[in-house]
Amino acid sequence: MREKDFVISVLLVVILILAGILAKYNQDLSYCKEQLSEAAKYMRYAVKINLLLDYGNGTRRWYNGTIVPLGSSLLNATMQVASVNYTLGAYGAFVNSINGVNNDKSRSMYWMYWVFKDGKWVLGEVSADNFKLREGDTAAWLYENCSKWPPEPPR
């Protein structure tokens, strides 16, 4: 075999390998597009939110990008990421503890929730089970001293 024939054979093999790689890439790309399209269908039924749990002792846990079903309440979302104890009353759910950190009436320490709106933190105006989450909402639970009203917003 001459040197020229050898070079042509090697080039043909390289071209065939590259063609195979390109075909596999296109197949994978097509699969990914299909999966994204399928996921997009379900995103109509879910919202993505950000949730902060601030334990009042310097420990803060963010749950950014939490996906919850459309129509979920803040209480539902909190129960998705934490262990929550609450009681139902005439005005809705009252959160007694989150992840074992209990309200302490003797020290006026309670779990309060805040929502980030228009560039500032706003104290929750309804019970957590009545606050319906929307796409992109950011909410925070603070274990804080409520002896002076209103309590301090998140920092």
Side-chain angles (χ1 to χ4, degrees):
M1 189 186 269
R2 295 181 321 173
E3 188 177 318
K4 185 178 180 183
D5 291 337
F6 177 75
V7 171
I8 291 173
S9 297
V10 169
L11 284 174
L12 284 174
V13 169
V14 169
I15 289 170
L16 288 173
I17 290 171
L18 288 174
I21 291 171
L22 187 58
K24 177 66 174 147
Y25 172 78
N26 282 332
Q27 181 183 13
D28 290 349
L29 187 61
S30 176
Y31 176 77
C32 287
K33 285 180 181 177
E34 196 177 292
Q35 293 301 308
L36 283 172
S37 176
E38 190 68 21
K41 288 182 202 173
Y42 291 102
M43 291 310 289
R44 290 182 291 180
Y45 305 108
V47 294
K48 190 185 298 187
I49 59 120
N50 302 310
L51 182 61
L52 167 66
L53 300 181
D54 185 328
Y55 294 87
N57 62 1
T59 302
R60 297 164 56 110
R61 297 250 161 75
W62 277 100
Y63 298 90
N64 292 329
T66 300
I67 297 174
V68 297
L70 186 65
S72 290
S73 68
L74 177 58
L75 181 63
N76 296 135
T78 308
M79 292 170 59
Q80 186 172 312
V81 300
S83 173
V84 180
N85 177 280
Y86 65 94
T87 52
L88 287 175
Y91 300 106
F94 180 77
V95 171
N96 300 306
S97 71
I98 296 177
N99 287 335
V101 177
N102 298 304
N103 291 338
D104 184 350
K105 186 177 181 181
S106 68
R107 296 185 313 134
S108 298
M109 296 294 289
Y110 294 94
W111 283 101
M112 305 296 292
Y113 85 85
W114 297 78
V115 179
F116 198 73
K117 282 186 185 175
D118 301 323
K120 64 182 179 183
W121 289 102
V122 178
L123 189 60
E125 297 175 351
V126 297
S127 62
D129 60 322
N130 286 311
F131 183 81
K132 301 302 179 200
L133 295 164
R134 294 175 298 172
E135 179 67 29
D137 277 350
T138 297
W141 282 100
L142 271 68
Y143 185 66
E144 59 188 326
N145 189 312
C146 295
S147 59
K148 79 174 184 120
W149 197 259
E152 292 291 317
R155 292 174 223 192

